[in-house]
Amino acid sequence: MKDILCLGIESSCDETSVAVVKNGREVLSNIISSQIDIHKKYGGVVPEIASRNHIENINIVIKEALEEAKVTLNDVDIIAVTYGPGLVGALLVGVSAAKGLAYATKKPLVGVHHIEGHIAANYISHLDLEPPFISLVVSGGHTHLIRVNNYTSFDILGQTRDDAVGEAFDKIARVMGLEYPGGPKVDKLAKEGKITYKFPRSYFDNLDFSFSGLKTAVLNTINNEKEYKVEDICVSFEEAVSEVLVHNSIRALEQNGFNRLVLAGGVAANSYIKEKLESALKEKGYTLCYPPNVLCTDNAAMIASSGYYSYINGIESELSLNAIANLKIGERG
Ligand code: KG4
Ligand code: ZN
């Protein structure tokens, strides 16, 4: 069978990324231009500034991705792009660029759901991984337990009722004076801390999550304690988060008869969470798989992989494709 090259574009938040991926699994290039340094001084992503920077960067990043992959636009077979969920102004930059390329080259256009992309990062790092499986997606905007039925069909088993895990990481970090994004800093500091605080954990009858109570408890502790060790707060918070993630993930595996958990999203880069999940799953005879850190946080290789699988399963987008800020998983806009 002929190789299929997919050019992927991701611009849903503060990374402008373009990648070329072969047959959904082999990364030929994955250029990530991060705006973190620009947004840092505001303590979080400023949507207007993100859009403007995407516009400035997108063509440069497309060119770099093609160059690094040593291919031309002619060699590319499909153009895939994140069209939601995310910041609408930021998404629009990627979607417009992808539509322009698809129109000019007459190549098929495939709109990709950002979360489906995060899950697909695992197809790149685990060449033997095939659906069905259970995935735990933890990022700055999402906390979902998903049953991945096949490459293009997804059922949400549980999700957060309020804050996403990454959002809680970033908020507690900000209050402790750590720079945006706080997740990686909390991860590092926690390694030097002791679990000193018993922060609350939320459980429901179903597989939903809630992290706002935990976040508020951490913020109250920070505000009320005269002296505290940042490291202790970090690891106590990670312990509470991990316990809930472990609990719901094991329930999801048991209820659905699976023995492998596929972790995805920016927070999947967290070393404490990975360790806790891995050891709890091992005790039950289950396994955990996750991508390397560079494929956990936002990148276009995961979008190209997901786009490839949509395409070979008959999914293609019209040139009227639009950015959808609150796109639901499994929904085709
Ligand atoms: O997937 P992602 O890049 O963007 C979204 O789709 O939201 O995730 C970004 C989130 C941020 O909240 C960031 O703080 C968090 O992932 N993150 C981490 C780590 N690395 C990134 N959280 C905890 N530990 C990390 N090592
Ligand atoms: Zn993401």
Side-chain angles (χ1 to χ4, degrees), residues 14-222:
D14 58 346
E15 265 89 31
T16 320
S17 181
V18 181
V20 179
V21 172
K22 189 171 160 186
N23 300 329
R25 303 262 179 174
E26 189 186 332
V27 179
L28 303 188
S29 65
N30 186 22
I31 310 292
I32 304 166
S33 165
S34 175
Q35 304 176 11
I36 283 178
D37 283 340
I38 298 165
H39 297 282
K40 233 182 212 169
K41 54 176 170 287
Y42 307 101
V45 177
V46 184
E48 279 295 316
I49 298 179
S51 313
R52 208 170 312 146
N53 280 282
H54 284 307
I55 291 174
E56 280 176 16
N57 290 336
I58 190 81
N59 287 329
I60 303 167
V61 181
I62 291 172
K63 190 162 167 270
E64 270 183 52
L66 290 169
E67 274 170 15
E68 190 169 311
K70 297 192 173 57
V71 297
T72 65
L73 257 187
N74 261 339
D75 303 318
V76 168
D77 300 287
I78 328 163
I79 316 278
V81 62
T82 307
Y83 73 112
L87 302 169
V88 76
L91 288 164
L92 263 174
V93 178
V95 169
S96 309
K99 281 158 68 169
L101 288 179
Y103 179 73
T105 59
K106 300 192 172 57
K107 314 252 178 190
L109 174 72
V110 183
V112 173
H113 188 290
H114 185 73
I115 299 298
E116 296 178 18
H118 272 300
I119 295 169
N122 281 280
Y123 297 138
I124 296 169
S125 53
H126 295 79
L127 297 181
D128 63 331
L129 179 66
E130 278 178 24
F133 54 78
I134 301 293
S135 183
L136 172 65
V137 184
V138 277
S139 74
H142 309 273
T143 308
H144 281 68
L145 267 165
I146 295 169
R147 189 186 192 284
V148 181
N149 302 313
N150 57 47
Y151 286 105
T152 58
S153 156
F154 306 81
D155 289 321
I156 298 176
L157 304 175
Q159 59 188 309
T160 184
R161 295 186 178 185
D162 39 58
D163 291 357
V165 180
E167 201 179 341
F169 265 96
D170 295 340
K171 279 189 188 154
I172 68 148
R174 187 171 169 170
V175 172
M176 291 189 290
L178 307 173
E179 272 185 339
Y180 175 84
K185 278 121 204 150
V186 171
D187 189 351
K188 207 164 156 210
L189 288 164
K191 292 188 204 300
E192 310 297 325
K194 274 213 307 278
I195 302 172
T196 359
Y197 302 94
K198 178 84 182 167
F199 293 129
R201 284 86 161 135
S202 301
Y203 297 102
F204 298 98
D205 289 342
N206 61 11
L207 294 171
D208 279 354
F209 300 93
S210 162
F211 294 103
S212 74
L214 165 61
K215 178 195 69 188
T216 306
V218 176
L219 298 185
N220 286 341
T221 304
I222 294 168

Side-chain angles (χ1 to χ4, degrees), residues 10 12-13 114-115 118 139-142 265-266 296-299 302:
E10 157 64 39
S12 67
C13 191
H114 185 73
I115 299 298
H118 272 300
S139 74
H142 309 273
C296 287
T297 42
D298 289 348
N299 68 89
M302 68 186 197

